[in-house]
Amino acid sequence: MKFPSVLSALALCAGLNLFAQSPTPPPEYLEFQKAMAITDVSARIKELQRIKAAYPNSEVASLFDSGLLRAMTDAAN
């Protein structure tokens, strides 16, 4: 397993743990999920950057960073 994939998996687990405590995920998490489904890597990066800027104090901010790292790694390959 590649290092960025491990980071993404850890961030996802941390995010899921937060949602185990609350009945509904925050709206930014739903936006994050949609952004991660974008197949065009440059468009995904832009959307993740937009989400990160829109929700700087989010409880799932680590997911935004993880998603950006993964997308940037994909873009470099």
Side-chain angles (χ1 to χ4, degrees):
M1 187 179 281
K2 295 181 181 177
F3 184 69
S5 298
V6 172
L7 288 177
S8 296
L10 289 174
L12 180 62
C13 289
L16 291 175
N17 186 33
L18 289 173
F19 302 133
Q21 299 168 2
S22 66
T24 58
E28 62 266 33
Y29 179 73
L30 301 176
E31 289 185 44
F32 169 77
Q33 285 183 316
K34 289 178 186 175
M36 291 303 291
I38 298 172
T39 56
D40 178 22
V41 177
S42 60
R44 186 180 335 138
I45 290 170
K46 287 180 183 178
E47 180 63 7
L48 287 168
Q49 289 172 332
R50 183 198 67 78
I51 295 168
K52 183 177 177 176
Y55 302 100
N57 298 321
S58 172
E59 61 187 25
V60 293
S62 62
L63 290 177
F64 308 152
D65 293 331
S66 174
L68 276 167
L69 178 64
R70 182 174 179 187
M72 290 178 180
T73 302
D74 290 345
N77 291 331

